[in-house]
Each structure stands twice: as C-alpha cells, then as structure tokens.
Amino acid sequence: MDRSQKADSVAQLNAVFNKVGVVVITRNLGMTVAQSTALRGKIRDAGATYKVAKNSLAKLAIVDTDYAGIDDFLTGPTAIATSVDPVAAAKAVVDFAKTTDKIEIVGGAMGSQVLDATGVKALASMPSLDELRAKLIGLVQAPATKIAQLQTAPAAKLARVFAAYADKAA
C-alpha cells in the first residue's frame, strides 16, 4: 500500500468514525472464510459494517473524533464493526460470538463513552432503535384503543340488559 492509498484509507475511516453511533472492536482468532462470511452477512443484515483495518491507520483515523479513547484496543489482529444505530453492531457481534470461540470482543465505544467487553455485551442486550420505536407507537395507540372500548362498552351492556328482559318476558 503506498502513501496515497494509506491517506485515502485513513480519510475513509475518519469519515466513518464521524458519522457512526457505535464502534465495536473484535479480535479474530483464526476464523475460517465461511465464518467470516457468515459474520459479515449477519452484520450487514443488522444495518452495520465490519472492516478489517490496519491498526496504525485506524489509530490515525480516530484522532479528533469521539472515538479517540479506543486506541488502546487496536492491538493485534483486530476488526472494526460500526453502525449508526447505537445497538445494531454490538448486537450482531455479540450474537455471533455466542456461536463460536474464534472471535473475541475487545471493547468499543458509543460516542465518547469507551466500553469494555462487558459494556459492549450490556449494550447488545438493549432493544434496538426500531424496537424502541415500535414500543413507543404501541404505547401511543393503546389509549385510543381503550377509549374506543369504553365508548362501546355501555351500549353493549345496555343491549345485554334489553336481551335479558326480552328473554324473561318470552
């Protein structure tokens, strides 16, 4: 890789670090091509990205970003998972790490908050942004449903009373 390619790589990584909501650093411990492909597919399905980058270039790219605190994690054979959704990348990596011992979660960051491996796992257990939106919509719609039920309930009770009197008279 020549100097201009390295500069382009650093610029691309810096752009990624400036727009994402979470960064997860993993250490690959001899994953096969099939396992790596499965991991990349799972991460892509979650709306995240997974990139193997040279540690020295990644350390240059995180300078002057919120993720400057993760430079200690960038040692050895590492890869970087990122996503705009603060939970997506962490959830995908943690779910995949449960299936194999060939990947280790080193740490990460959410904004300027540096997370260790336990923090990344805790982040992965939180509901995603889409799940939170669905819960919020459910909470907003619930009162309207209850109001509709309350409006129809008195009429239904009145109809049952009239039906009971009609049955009694017959």
Side-chain angles (χ1 to χ4, degrees):
M1 196 183 269
D2 66 356
R3 187 176 292 270
S4 65
Q5 289 174 327
K6 288 179 182 178
D8 290 342
S9 180
V10 169
Q12 288 174 353
L13 280 172
N14 187 280
V16 167
F17 287 134
N18 281 322
K19 71 176 183 178
V20 297
V22 70
V23 173
V24 179
I25 307 296
T26 63
R27 184 164 289 127
N28 301 330
L29 307 169
M31 283 194 331
T32 64
V33 173
Q35 289 172 324
S36 180
T37 303
L39 173 61
R40 288 177 189 273
K42 186 170 197 140
I43 288 177
R44 192 177 316 108
D45 290 343
T49 60
Y50 187 74
K51 182 172 179 68
V52 176
K54 290 186 70 149
N55 291 333
S56 58
L57 298 180
K59 285 181 181 183
L60 290 173
I62 62 174
V63 173
D64 296 331
T65 66
D66 289 341
Y67 301 103
I70 64 170
D71 62 345
D72 294 338
F73 297 140
L74 296 170
T75 58
T78 59
I80 303 167
T82 59
S83 67
V84 175
D85 182 355
V87 179
K91 190 173 287 231
V93 170
V94 168
D95 287 346
F96 186 80
K98 290 177 185 176
T99 64
T100 183
D101 59 348
K102 301 284 184 177
I103 189 168
E104 173 189 358
I105 298 168
V106 178
M110 185 172 68
S112 60
Q113 178 67 39
V114 177
L115 306 169
D116 60 355
T118 308
V120 172
K121 290 176 184 173
L123 181 64
S125 67
M126 295 176 62
S128 70
L129 194 57
D130 290 336
E131 291 171 356
L132 288 174
R133 286 178 182 149
K135 286 182 182 179
L136 184 63
I137 289 172
L139 290 173
V140 168
Q141 288 180 342
T145 305
K146 290 190 187 276
I147 289 172
Q149 289 173 348
L150 290 175
Q151 287 178 342
T152 60
K157 286 181 182 177
L158 193 58
R160 282 194 290 271
V161 169
F162 287 146
Y165 279 124
D167 290 342
K168 188 175 182 183

